[in-house]
Amino acid sequence: MTGITHTRIHGERVAYRDAGTGDAILLIHGMAGNSTTWRGVMPSLATRYRVIAPDLPGHGESGKPRGDYSLGSFAAWLRDLLDELEIDRVTVVGQSLGGGVAMQFTYQHPEYCERLSLIGSGGLGPDVSWTLRLLAAPGAELLMPVIASKPIITAGSAVHSWLTARGLRAPRANEMWQAHASLGDRETRQAFLRTLRSVVDHRGQAVSALSRLYLNTGLPTLLIWGDDDAIIPVEHGYAAHEAMPDSRLEVLPGVGHFPQVEAPETVARLLGEFMTEAPGSLRSGDRR
């Protein structure tokens, strides 16, 4: 996978991966994740397209300021990153939280958007895992330093390395462990809680885009979901597909919340087909 590049936007550190040439694809990771989640997808896509995969603010190697971690703030940050890279048209791909950010981006900055792909996306209904609901509850900030303490992270990483060395690979569990391990850093924990509480409360997801999906009429849309997603159920994918009759829905059997990690070849193929078969949208306010 391509190396990471650093720059600064508005004085804050920005980390991103940039590979390939051609039409641009913007890959947006999920909560507590980072750009490495696209490691199985990015190389294939970069043979034909320019692929940008940033670490969102508060995640990975990007800055973790004490500030706004709402979907709207992430969308504005992505616009500024694209401007920095002199990219004015993209296919936007978002997984989990990144799907919610992607939808917000299409609403705030439609002139940038040629296509939209949502992978196990948040923001399409209240259902979400109880783990995230509990972490969004008041007082979770007192619990998190315990469950993400240095001894626990060290021990878990040792077990993970032992299993990997013996060829025992579980992509879904690995992705969840990497997210957990990232919370060992205090600034990352604080950013995680601000991000989580902007979209989830004890009742579930507090933000839903279902009533606004009609605004994306005419925007080619691909939905990808795992039928074994225990974090955001596949029913959300079916609901979004029904709300967008012209969209394409691909449900992957035996796959959980991280299709880009659990079935990277399939996801790369579907995105490649989507780029070829779905003409770019000419939205109102087109900048070309």
Side-chain angles (χ1 to χ4, degrees), residues 11 31 37 45 47-48 52 54 64 68 70-71 74 78 84 90 130 136 173 182 221 226 241 255 284:
M31 193 176 304
T37 195
L45 292 176
T47 62
R48 290 173 289 171
I52 311 298
K64 299 167 180 64
D68 183 4
S70 66
L71 297 180
F74 284 133
L78 288 171
E84 175 75 13
V90 291
W130 276 103
S182 74
T221 301
H241 183 46
V255 171
S284 57

Side-chain angles (χ1 to χ4, degrees), residues 37-114:
T37 195
W38 303 107
R39 58 193 174 275
V41 171
M42 197 169 178
S44 174
L45 292 176
T47 62
R48 290 173 289 171
Y49 306 104
R50 183 178 182 183
V51 188
I52 311 298
D55 289 351
L56 291 173
H59 296 73
E61 296 185 25
S62 285
K64 299 167 180 64
R66 185 177 181 274
D68 183 4
Y69 287 88
S70 66
L71 297 180
S73 178
F74 284 133
W77 182 90
L78 288 171
R79 174 206 60 202
D80 293 344
L81 173 62
L82 292 176
D83 286 348
E84 175 75 13
L85 299 177
E86 299 183 342
I87 298 172
D88 61 7
R89 299 283 293 183
V90 291
T91 291
V92 189
V93 181
Q95 187 263 337
S96 195
L97 169 74
V101 175
M103 286 187 285
Q104 187 69 35
F105 186 83
T106 67
Y107 303 145
Q108 288 183 203
H109 311 293
E111 68 278 10
Y112 286 79
C113 303
E114 289 197 313

Side-chain angles (χ1 to χ4, degrees), residues 71 94-101 103 118-125 127 205 207-209 225 232 236 257:
L71 297 180
Q95 187 263 337
S96 195
L97 169 74
V101 175
M103 286 187 285
L118 304 175
I119 303 176
S121 177
L124 294 168
D127 303 305
Q205 294 190 72
V207 178
S208 176
W225 233 276
I232 301 176
H236 289 206
H257 189 57

Side-chain angles (χ1 to χ4, degrees), residues 116-140:
L116 171 66
S117 180
L118 304 175
I119 303 176
S121 177
L124 294 168
D127 303 305
V128 72
S129 71
W130 276 103
T131 300
L132 292 180
R133 297 188 194 199
L134 291 172
L135 290 175

Side-chain angles (χ1 to χ4, degrees), residues 1-4 17 19 27 34-43 53:
M1 185 175 181
T2 185
I4 200 157
R17 301 177 193 275
L27 302 176
N34 58 61
S35 56
T36 62
T37 195
W38 303 107
R39 58 193 174 275
V41 171
M42 197 169 178

Side-chain angles (χ1 to χ4, degrees), residues 137-270:
E141 59 271 19
L142 302 177
L143 175 64
M144 288 186 67
V146 177
I147 63 176
S149 64
K150 185 174 181 179
I152 289 178
I153 298 300
T154 301
S157 295
V159 171
H160 175 262
S161 297
W162 186 88
L163 293 172
T164 301
R166 283 151 183 79
L168 301 174
R169 302 182 184 277
R172 190 186 317 181
N174 177 67
E175 198 73 3
M176 295 181 72
W177 170 249
Q178 295 301 328
H180 182 100
S182 74
L183 301 177
D185 172 72
R186 182 178 62 85
E187 288 185 339
T188 301
R189 285 198 302 271
Q190 292 174 342
F192 168 80
L193 285 173
R194 291 192 181 103
T195 303
L196 178 64
R197 289 169 174 171
S198 73
V199 292
V200 173
D201 61 24
H202 68 281
R203 294 175 296 179
Q205 294 190 72
V207 178
S208 176
L210 279 175
S211 64
R212 292 174 290 166
L213 291 179
Y214 74 92
L215 296 173
N216 277 339
T217 299
L219 180 66
T221 301
L222 170 66
L223 308 168
I224 301 174
W225 233 276
D227 71 353
D228 195 30
D229 192 332
I231 296 178
I232 301 176
V234 68
E235 285 75 18
H236 289 206
Y238 287 113
H241 183 46
E242 184 175 348
M244 295 184 289
D246 294 331
S247 64
R248 173 182 172 187
L249 172 63
E250 294 286 345
V251 177
L252 308 185
V255 171
H257 189 57
F258 305 99
Q260 77 281 7
V261 173
E262 299 174 57
E265 297 88 356
T266 300
V267 171
R269 175 180 59 78
L270 290 172

